[in-house]
Amino acid sequence: GSFRCLNYNVLRAHLGWAFFVIFLGTPPLFAQTWNAVGPQVITNGQTEGIGTGGKTPNPVIGAINVVAPNPSNANQMLLGAINGGLWLTTNLNNAAGPTWSSVTPTPATTSESIGAIGYNLLNSNQVYAGFGRFSNYGGAGGALNGLLVSNNGGSTWAPFTAPVLNGVNIDGIVARGNGVVVATGTSMSYYGTYNTYTSGLFRPSTTTDPGPVGTPLGTMINLAGLATSNLPSGDYTSICNAPGNLSEMYCAVVNTP
């Protein structure tokens, strides 16, 4: 497939706006009716003077980093929390409100820092999730354990074998058939400086695009900076498939040399 790459931070904001417009209805958004559909709030949390209005005492809601509706099932959606793991609902359109289940895999040592989720565009039973640190508390988070894959719509998960993605900050995933493309970037440390994780755009090597000499077929290779890809080096912040064209993707990159 081909890539169209824009070197602008604004693309990420644009993609977010497009998502809300498509999912929630025709703008203006302020005229829409909004309903809480996420997991339940935490009460009596570490709030900063949030008024209760006589309702839930000191409500705190964990930050949601990624929302992924199932492209083939309007009742199913996955959420990825900043440091709260993976959540699944199978009754999103329930009039009484959807119910959510935590589907973060065990053991407890598994990271709960979710950076990206991507359904397979040709098989919505298969979905990928990537670990990434995006907390506004200096990028605090769990281990960057690469990719997870589910073959039952997100109910259960298993590690996806790709050693090159361990220790990187994943912030975008596009999966199509037997292939998956993963965008990675940097993350802020506790002290306000950026961790230099391996940044780029990764996908499995193929017979037509084998990557560096000696790369085993199917090994995840970094397309960023390769002469054959025409993609610049830098931090890839977003990736999406072109609507109606499975052979084309769009990505955003910042901090290019």
Side-chain angles (χ1 to χ4, degrees), residues 2 13 16 19 36 39 44-45 69 72 81 88 98-99 122 182 195 207 213-214:
S2 62
F19 167 77
N44 293 311
S72 301
L88 171 70
T99 54
L122 299 179
V182 178
N195 294 314
T207 53
V213 175

Side-chain angles (χ1 to χ4, degrees), residues 122-205:
L122 299 179
N123 176 13
S124 61
N125 286 322
Q126 186 178 71
V127 57
Y128 294 85
F131 296 105
R133 295 176 183 168
F134 295 94
S135 172
N136 63 3
Y137 186 61
L144 299 174
N145 291 332
L147 278 179
L148 297 171
V149 62
S150 170
N151 290 307
N152 55 12
S155 295
T156 59
W157 299 81
F160 178 84
T161 303
V164 70
L165 296 178
N166 292 333
V168 305
N169 208 48
I170 296 173
D171 51 19
I173 300 171
V174 169
R176 304 175 304 184
N178 294 324
V180 58
V181 181
V182 178
T184 70
T186 58
S187 174
M188 187 178 288
S189 75
Y190 282 107
Y191 304 103
T193 57
Y194 283 89
N195 294 314
T196 54
Y197 301 123
T198 302
S199 300
L201 209 61
F202 293 82
R203 76 169 174 85
S205 60

